[in-house]
Amino acid sequence: MLERRRYRSEASHKTAIETGVVRMTDVTEQPAHWLLAEMGKRVLRPGGKELTLELLDALDAGPADDVVEFAPGVGFTAERVLERTPQSYTAIELDRDAAADLERRFDGPNREIVVGNAANTELDDGVADVVYGEAMLTMHPDDGKASIVEEAHRLLRSGGRYGVHELALEPNDLDDETKATIRRDLAAATKVNARPQTSSEWISLLEDAGFDVVWKATAPMHLLRPRRVLDDEGLVGAVRFGVNVLTHPGARRRVRDLRRAFTAHERHMNAIALIAEKP
Ligand SMILES: C[S@@+](CC[C@H](N)C(=O)[O-])C[C@H]1O[C@@H](n2cnc3c(N)ncnc32)[C@H](O)[C@@H]1O
């Protein structure tokens, strides 16, 4: 078990540092997803629980499917996918602690949690019917995004489905200067290299890797709006999150900065979910 939790390669460890997946104890520099998770937030993707559930219904993973999840994080989607009893489930997660926690919670036959890099999983070609990942491509540079999407394509059998749920910019013809401003402000607030792109850029990314995009859904980017927090976390979870944030001054400042950045650019951001099929 311990062996599996080591990084599979030096490159994975380097990616973990560059993309900010390594947790920092200093709250002012901590990647936003780990900060929010430590405050009790379980749903860390831009379209919330609802867009995730829509994506899972459309992906329709079932008992005949071998499933690979990229970047399960705190395991919100993993739990829902495992309820569908896929033939096998493999998770590729860069963060050692997250992987160890998932292993404790989801250990079972035909389930494997690997500490590794979704861009280079070291799994064999054509081992999956369904691959998916949420809120993880956005934090990689363009070439990193392409490597991860190509890896999904390599892992899938012909006819297999790849599902993504990411942060999008709109409209499709948004000017480069506004894009750069949004990315800079998001990176400053989230402390990760957040690089969202337009819907048509997300679709091109998948098509360039050889996929056919067969399904699309969007939702507002309301990650920290009270209404969305309540929908995503439930009453008890939302209250716990609120109390934790209010009683940790460092976290309170960070959440305030995140909300400011999200609100400032709200009209140019949304959440996008796509399913792409390998011909
Ligand atoms: C914003 S969280 C999203 C987690 C989860 N998918 C969700 O939506 O709640 C980002 C997660 O992606 C993981 N991650 C980022 N890049 C990765 C990569 N190249 N390979 C594997 N995991 C990655 C991080 O460790 C972290 O758990």
Side-chain angles (χ1 to χ4, degrees):
M1 263 332 177
L2 269 180
E3 209 36 45
R4 272 202 280 147
R5 271 193 241 128
R6 291 212 185 118
Y7 285 106
R8 279 198 163 173
S9 66
E10 266 309 301
S12 297
H13 190 222
K14 192 164 166 270
T15 307
I17 293 168
E18 284 172 355
T19 58
V21 297
V22 169
R23 301 173 194 220
M24 311 280 292
T25 43
D26 175 4
V27 74
T28 58
E29 291 303 322
Q30 194 176 27
H33 49 276
W34 293 130
L35 174 92
L36 296 173
E38 278 175 19
M39 292 297 113
K41 190 132 180 40
R42 288 287 160 266
V43 180
L44 299 164
R45 64 294 304 265
K49 183 165 105 182
E50 208 172 306
L51 192 58
T52 292
L53 296 181
E54 263 188 74
L55 174 66
L56 292 188
D57 278 348
L59 269 177
D60 198 25
D65 292 321
D66 292 307
V67 174
V68 175
E69 176 168 8
F70 289 164
V74 297
F76 177 86
T77 307
E79 197 171 333
R80 269 125 205 105
V81 166
L82 288 171
E83 282 165 6
R84 294 171 170 259
T85 61
Q87 179 151 277
S88 70
Y89 170 83
T90 306
I92 309 290
E93 171 54 62
L94 261 179
D95 185 90
R96 277 200 196 88
D97 294 338
D101 183 50
L102 295 165
E103 210 164 65
R104 265 192 302 276
R105 286 165 54 208
F106 300 129
D107 193 26
N110 301 322
R111 297 175 180 185
E112 194 179 10
I113 313 293
V114 177
V115 179
N117 187 345
N120 176 20
T121 62
E122 299 179 19
L123 299 176
D124 290 339
D125 291 3
V127 291
D129 303 290
V130 173
V131 176
Y132 68 91
E134 296 173 286
M136 57 88 66
L137 290 171
T138 299
M139 67 206 290
H140 288 271
D142 293 352
D143 57 344
K145 288 182 176 72
S147 304
I148 293 169
V149 173
E150 282 159 19
E151 185 69 351
H153 192 268
R154 186 184 71 75
L155 295 180
L156 283 165
R157 303 183 177 113
S158 176
R161 290 98 71 202
Y162 177 39
V164 303
H165 173 174
E166 297 290 339
L167 186 57
L169 298 177
E170 58 179 24
N172 277 327
D173 61 357
L174 188 66
D175 63 277
D176 288 344
E177 203 183 318
T178 310
K179 282 184 189 171
T181 305
I182 296 173
R183 288 172 180 158
R184 188 199 59 217
D185 291 355
L186 287 183
T190 60
K191 309 295 178 194
V192 297
N193 183 22
R195 289 188 60 82
Q197 45 186 21
T198 62
S199 298
S200 57
E201 286 167 340
W202 283 117
I203 290 170
S204 298
L205 177 72
L206 293 162
E207 289 176 345
D208 289 350
F211 282 110
D212 294 330
V213 174
V214 294
W215 181 88
K216 172 184 164 183
T218 59
M221 162 47 184
H222 286 169
L223 184 68
L224 292 176
R225 286 255 196 117
R227 174 76 225 199
R228 171 71 71 75
V229 174
L230 189 62
D231 285 349
D232 283 350
E233 312 296 335
L235 184 58
V236 174
V239 170
R240 186 176 45 224
F241 174 64
V243 170
N244 283 341
V245 171
L246 289 173
T247 52
H248 290 80
R252 196 168 67 221
R253 275 191 292 277
R254 286 289 313 279
V255 171
R256 183 201 57 202
D257 293 347
L258 282 166
R259 290 190 60 174
R260 270 192 195 144
F262 294 163
T263 309
H265 298 299
E266 196 171 79
R267 75 196 167 96
H268 290 308
M269 292 198 300
N270 69 7
I272 185 168
L274 297 167
I275 296 180
E277 207 172 271
K278 178 170 174 172

